[in-house]
């Protein structure tokens, strides 16, 4: 196979204002202010990245990033409402109310990678803070469609890498040698999947092929960065498609190993169904503008390993509540080694799981006490999800709690009084058949 490398520096294509659809009316005011003020101070200023990509696709951008030749300190001086932030690279955040515009100085590429091994480890770039020109900045970005610049001087779009043509073709293409770029930063593989799912784009064959072999490079990515990336993967409204693609490229197991193991033992859509339904709920909520929480997301993604461990413990005579407590603790502490789910979320995730057992015991004052707990609603939603997948014949229990919330509050005590004592009888899990869908195409 010949690889057609996208790394031929040269003069860019410049698409003049009349030949593209970006209008200032669609760019948010804060971003425009930043661009104009940089320009007035004599600097180059461009909108870049997802903002330009989404505007050219006629979509509403999630955020706006600005690229400039001004150095971070110079940007910081220009805007009183700004602050320097130093994550992997030095950036400036300019704040307008709730809006934050990220301003980055053009960065150079590492052609001298061999000369300075200090910042490279196993092919992975550890530091990447060399300033460069617009052209260099364009070539070090991840995908051609993410490397388009909207020039505030004349409102043209500047394209060094063929991004406009790829946008038109619906093609996601890594800039440069894909295997090398993935090795430099393995998160780019996750980003490929994320954009493919979100935009409905195809990953170019050359960019697609190395992914399977390089998935294990994700093990070297710091757990905190993986957590950030997972929120973007699963809480941007395209979680179902993203999940299917992560599985398709065998990347999911480097994020959720225990779940992936459980999924590989899949029978008649279990436990795949719960994950797929849970993620579909998340997507629906986002589409409706409702809030979603990482606590619920992780409850969904890690339920099967927790459920299996809890069942093993119950077979040894441990009570259901206790088995869930022990299994939750074990699964969370194994998971955070790979993905740094912050404690404030993992505590809630565990409450959601343990409440699955408590929700069965509804007599006397118990129902009321559960109902008043902060995590009740999330735990109820989770119970509903489990019941919808046919797990443990939980439907009557879920319906009882639905009624409980809907009846006149005066009737709740009566419901609790006549509730069955130990909860629903445990039966063998009913397995539902549903043709599986090959979504990964
Ligand atoms: P989103 O819609 O999710 O914000 P985005 O493309 O804007 O998508 P960001 O994470 O905001 O993604 O990054 C902004 C831009 O920075 C990208 O479009 C890309 O040009 C560049 N970039 C981000 N991450 C990387 C990376 N790991 N390697 C190379 N370039 C990157
Ligand atoms: Mg962005």
């Amino acid at each position: 196979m010949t690889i057609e490398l996208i790394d031929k520096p040269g003069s860019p294509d410049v698409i003049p204002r009349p030949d593209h659809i970006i209008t200032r009316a669609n760019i948010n005011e804060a971003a425009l202010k930043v661009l104009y003020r940089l320009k007035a101070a004599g600097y180059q200023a461009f909108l870049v990245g997802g903002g330009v990509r989404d505007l050219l696709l006629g979509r509403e951008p999630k955020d706006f990033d600005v690229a400039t030749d001004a150095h971070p300190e110079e940007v910081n001086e220009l805007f009183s409402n700004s602050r320097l932030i130093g994550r992997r690279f030095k950036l400036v955040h300019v704040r307008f109310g709730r809006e934050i515009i990220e301003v980055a100085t053009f960065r150079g590429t590492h052609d001298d990678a061999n000369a300075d091994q200090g910042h490279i480890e196993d092919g992975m770039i550890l530091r990447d803070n060399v300033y460069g020109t617009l052209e260099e900045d364009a070539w070090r970005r991840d995908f051609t469609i993410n490397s388009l610049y909207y020039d505030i001087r004349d409102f043209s779009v500047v394209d060094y890498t063929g991004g406009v043509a790829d946008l038109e073709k619906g093609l996601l293409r890594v800039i440069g040698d894909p295997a090398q770029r993935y090795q430099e930063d393995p998160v780019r593989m996750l980003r490929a999947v994320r954009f493919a799912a979100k935009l409905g784009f195809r990953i170019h064959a050359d960019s697609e092929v190395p992914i399977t072999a390089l998935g294990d490079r994700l093990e070297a990515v710091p757990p905190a960065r993986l957590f950030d990336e997972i929120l973007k993967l699963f809480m941007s409204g395209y979680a179902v498609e993203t999940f299917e693609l992560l599985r398709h490229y065998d990347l999911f197991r480097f994020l959720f190993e225990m779940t992936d193991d459980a999924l590989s033992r899949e029978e008649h859509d279990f436990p795949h169904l719960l994950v797929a339904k849970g993620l579909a709920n998340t997507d629906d909520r986002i589409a409706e503008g409702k809030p979603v929480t990482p606590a619920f997301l992780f409850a969904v993604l890690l339920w099967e390993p927790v459920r299996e461990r809890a069942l093993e413990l119950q077979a040894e005579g441990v009570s259901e509540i206790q088995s869930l407590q022990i299994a939750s603790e074990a699964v969370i502490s194994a998971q955070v080694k790979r993905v740094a789910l912050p404690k404030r979320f993992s505590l809630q995730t565990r409450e959601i799981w343990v409440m699955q057992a408590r929700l069965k015991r509804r007599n006397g004052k118990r129902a009321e006490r559960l109902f008043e707990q902060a995590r009740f609603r999330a735990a109820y939603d989770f119970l509903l999800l489990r019941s919808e997948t046919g797990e443990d014949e939980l439907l009557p229990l879920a319906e009882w709690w639905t009624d409980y919330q809907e009846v006149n509050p005066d009737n709740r005590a009566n419901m609790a009084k006549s509730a069955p004592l130990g909860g629903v009888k445990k039966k063998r899990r009913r397995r539902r058949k549903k043709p599986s869908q090959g979504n990964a195409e």
Side-chain angles (χ1 to χ4, degrees):
M1 189 181 72
T2 53
I3 294 188
E4 184 198 335
L5 293 187
I6 304 296
D7 65 352
K8 302 179 196 73
S11 57
D13 282 342
V14 178
I15 299 102
R17 170 63 194 98
D19 296 348
H20 65 72
I21 62 166
I22 299 182
T23 70
R24 273 162 290 163
N26 292 334
I27 303 172
N28 87 8
E29 249 175 76
L32 284 174
K33 271 188 205 157
V34 172
L35 291 169
Y36 280 128
R37 187 158 332 155
L38 284 166
K39 182 185 126 173
Y43 297 111
Q44 296 182 57
F46 300 85
L47 211 57
V48 67
V52 180
R53 178 195 69 217
D54 291 349
L55 285 174
L56 286 171
L57 287 170
R59 304 170 71 110
E60 197 188 327
K62 200 183 76 205
D63 50 39
F64 289 92
D65 298 312
V66 168
T68 178
D69 59 348
H71 283 197
E73 294 76 14
E74 294 170 325
V75 177
N76 188 219
E77 237 162 71
L78 215 49
F79 297 93
S80 58
N81 49 332
S82 75
R83 70 195 181 95
L84 282 165
I85 58 158
R87 288 192 304 231
R88 292 173 68 238
F89 342 94
K90 234 198 253 172
L91 299 167
V92 182
H93 276 177
V94 187
R95 183 183 278 277
F96 298 88
R98 287 174 56 226
E99 193 87 41
I100 289 179
I101 305 298
E102 194 164 287
V103 183
T105 305
F106 297 146
R107 284 205 291 275
T109 43
H110 286 280
D111 288 340
D112 58 341
N114 293 327
D116 168 18
Q117 287 292 346
H119 64 279
I120 301 236
E121 197 177 287
D122 249 352
M124 198 159 88
I125 292 189
L126 301 177
R127 279 178 286 108
D128 188 7
N129 218 358
V130 181
Y131 300 131
T133 61
L134 168 64
E135 179 171 348
E136 288 171 317
D137 192 75
W139 291 105
R140 64 95 197 159
R141 289 182 181 268
D142 49 5
F143 303 100
T144 61
I145 61 166
N146 283 348
S147 187
L148 295 167
Y149 296 78
Y150 174 82
D151 191 339
I152 198 63
R153 277 175 305 204
D154 59 3
F155 317 120
S156 63
V157 170
V158 182
D159 178 8
Y160 279 93
T161 63
V164 169
D166 285 342
L167 266 187
E168 280 163 5
K169 284 185 251 172
L171 210 51
L172 208 62
R173 199 195 303 236
V174 171
I175 296 171
D177 173 31
Q180 188 191 332
R181 300 300 310 281
Y182 292 145
Q183 278 164 27
E184 284 171 6
D185 180 3
V187 168
R188 287 176 186 145
M189 293 183 278
L190 299 178
R191 290 174 59 85
V193 164
R194 176 156 71 87
F195 295 128
K198 167 176 159 171
L199 305 171
F201 275 30
R202 219 155 36 80
I203 303 178
H204 187 281
D206 295 340
S207 301
E208 185 177 45
V209 167
I211 293 182
T212 333
L214 292 172
D216 64 358
R217 301 291 176 121
L218 286 169
E219 288 172 358
V221 176
R225 188 163 176 227
L226 283 186
F227 175 71
D228 289 346
E229 201 56 36
I230 279 170
L231 295 191
K232 290 187 195 164
L233 285 164
F234 292 108
M235 290 178 42
S236 303
Y238 304 87
V240 173
E241 190 63 19
T242 300
F243 169 68
E244 299 299 346
L245 282 177
L246 286 173
R247 294 262 292 154
H248 176 77
Y249 290 111
D250 204 16
L251 295 175
F252 187 70
R253 71 189 169 107
F254 299 106
L255 304 175
F256 292 94
E257 192 182 0
M258 292 170 289
T259 310
D260 197 75
D261 281 350
L263 288 168
S264 67
R265 298 190 294 273
E266 175 177 348
E267 248 182 89
H268 303 305
D269 265 359
F270 273 100
H272 183 273
L273 195 56
L274 181 118
V275 175
K277 264 185 181 286
L279 295 178
N281 284 0
T282 307
D283 287 345
D284 290 345
R285 289 183 67 93
I286 290 170
E288 291 162 20
K290 292 183 186 163
V292 289
T293 156
F296 193 83
L297 174 70
F298 276 74
V300 167
L301 287 169
L302 294 168
W303 172 240
E304 189 58 18
V306 169
R307 195 187 69 84
E308 285 176 9
R309 264 165 224 218
L311 281 180
E312 282 166 24
L313 289 160
Q314 285 166 45
E316 293 165 16
V318 180
S319 76
E320 189 181 8
I321 287 184
Q322 234 197 333
S323 72
L324 282 171
Q325 284 165 338
I326 298 168
S328 302
E329 154 88 54
V331 167
I332 290 287
S333 52
Q335 181 66 33
V336 295
K337 292 194 180 103
R338 175 60 49 84
V339 178
L341 175 67
K343 194 130 203 159
R344 67 179 186 282
F345 296 128
S346 68
L347 286 173
Q348 293 179 24
T349 302
R350 289 169 59 175
E351 278 182 78
I352 291 170
W353 288 333
V354 175
M355 275 180 83
Q356 299 307 301
R358 296 199 204 281
L359 285 171
K360 292 181 180 170
R361 305 162 59 148
R362 294 153 282 164
N363 315 86
K365 290 257 172 244
R366 284 194 180 123
E368 198 185 331
R369 259 186 258 132
L370 283 168
F371 184 57
E372 282 164 1
Q373 285 198 18
R375 223 53 62 212
F376 171 80
R377 185 68 208 192
Y380 161 76
D381 284 343
F382 196 72
L383 177 72
L384 211 54
L385 179 65
R386 291 172 63 216
S387 76
E388 284 168 3
T389 65
E391 189 188 319
D392 270 350
E393 305 201 340
L394 289 168
L395 209 55
L397 180 64
E399 280 169 355
W400 190 93
W401 278 109
T402 307
D403 292 344
Y404 185 86
Q405 294 169 81
E406 281 167 4
V407 296
N408 185 315
D410 298 338
N411 288 340
R412 288 188 185 138
N414 284 336
M415 279 187 75
K417 221 180 277 168
S418 53
L421 261 173
V424 274
K425 211 170 102 208
K426 203 155 180 66
K427 289 214 187 122
R428 276 179 67 83
R429 189 166 79 174
R430 203 181 61 212
R431 309 209 131 152
R432 235 198 243 166
K433 285 204 174 126
K434 185 174 153 269
S436 65
Q437 302 170 333
N439 296 356
E441 253 52 67

